[in-house]
Amino acid sequence: MIIPVKWSDEGVLMLDQRLLPTEEKWLTLKTYTEVADGIRDMVVRGAPAIGVSTAYGIALGMRQFVGTNMVDFEDELDYICEVLFKTRPTAVNLGWAIDEMKKTFAKAKSESKSISEIKEILLERAKEIHDEDIEAQRLIADFGGELIEDNSTVLTHCNAGALATGGVWGTALGVIRGAVNQGKNIHVFADETRPYLQGARLTAWELHEDNIPVTLITDNMSGYMMKKGRVQAVVVGSDRIAANGDVANKIGTYMVAVLAKEHGIPFYVAAPLSTVDLNCPTGDQIPIEERDSREVTHIKDIQLAPEGIGIGNPAFDVTPNHLVTAIITEKGVARAPYTESLKKQFEE
Ligand code: MRU
């Protein structure tokens, strides 16, 4: 059972995903700035895992507040949230976790709790956010597993597994685990996912650990596999889903969705409601992170491209809602028109 982020009295424990699959090393992050660096540097990554880590980072930072003045305490909370907010812009789970922690503080303050009580309450809420995330993935696995037919091959892009969430299931890999648990015979194609290779390094590792048959392919092989009838469904996760069902996910997802449409293959998105941003009307408003060009020009220390050329490295793209067959959340399966179906899930 993979749980990539944990709380301990020494700090936030993170499985260092930069080293997988060759090394399994845990880091203890002892301050909120170390947690922020861990998120920025991809020690932990994947939208729900970023949300859980953010909540723990806030709880950790506030626990270390020294003082007795509530105004100073609140200023410190705002400052820590701002530092964490700036780490990665696309995954809305980060902002969602900050809002949850701020709401928790506001409620405790309105109930005249003391600073030491509020420190405990914030930590309890962070642990709850973690538990709720695992529970959401379990439900996504159940609902999503039903959509996958027996004896099928499912293609996935990036890593939307236990590593990318609070743990155990994952979103896209949760759907696959759900189908396997329902007794279905499932094979997975994992896109390697250049430039950061989350598919090769993380998805292939996770599935192999769970004895789920996985075949690694490079990103430019998916069209061939689809044309040959070797893919029956695509399942991916998301970093932010706009109110109209446009889906931001790892760069290359859009290309896979277009190919799936061309070949009549269902394209499913699995994500908890903490990834759905009803304040974002369409995918056009989703901020897309641009990452270091070195991720494209190098693999570890090996240089792949000449120096002095232009490099593009957008980390995410947006798949328009008309290419999305269904969105699976912990509330069930939403279908077009998403503006209505997603909103309804929040109201349930
Ligand atoms: O840059 P990353 O590795 O954080 O990107 C991760 C993804 O794009 C995932 O597909 C997404 O966060 C969903 S994770 C359940």
Side-chain angles (χ1 to χ4, degrees), residues 42 44-50 88 91 137 157-161 164-165 170-172 196 198 202 236-239 248-251 253 270 272 289 291 315-316:
M42 313 270 273
V44 71
R45 29 66 51 202
I50 291 171
R88 297 198 70 193
Q137 320 301 333
H157 191 75
C158 193
N159 172 264
T165 63
T171 56
Y196 205 70
Q198 288 95 331
L202 308 177
V236 296
S238 173
D239 291 82
N249 191 47
K250 180 53 54 196
I251 192 75
T253 302
E289 178 182 8
R291 289 188 64 86
F316 302 96

Side-chain angles (χ1 to χ4, degrees), residues 70-85:
M70 190 60 83
V71 175
D72 293 346
F73 188 79
E74 190 162 2
D75 284 350
E76 179 73 353
L77 176 67
D78 287 343
Y79 181 73
I80 290 176
C81 291
E82 208 180 298
V83 170
L84 285 158
F85 188 71

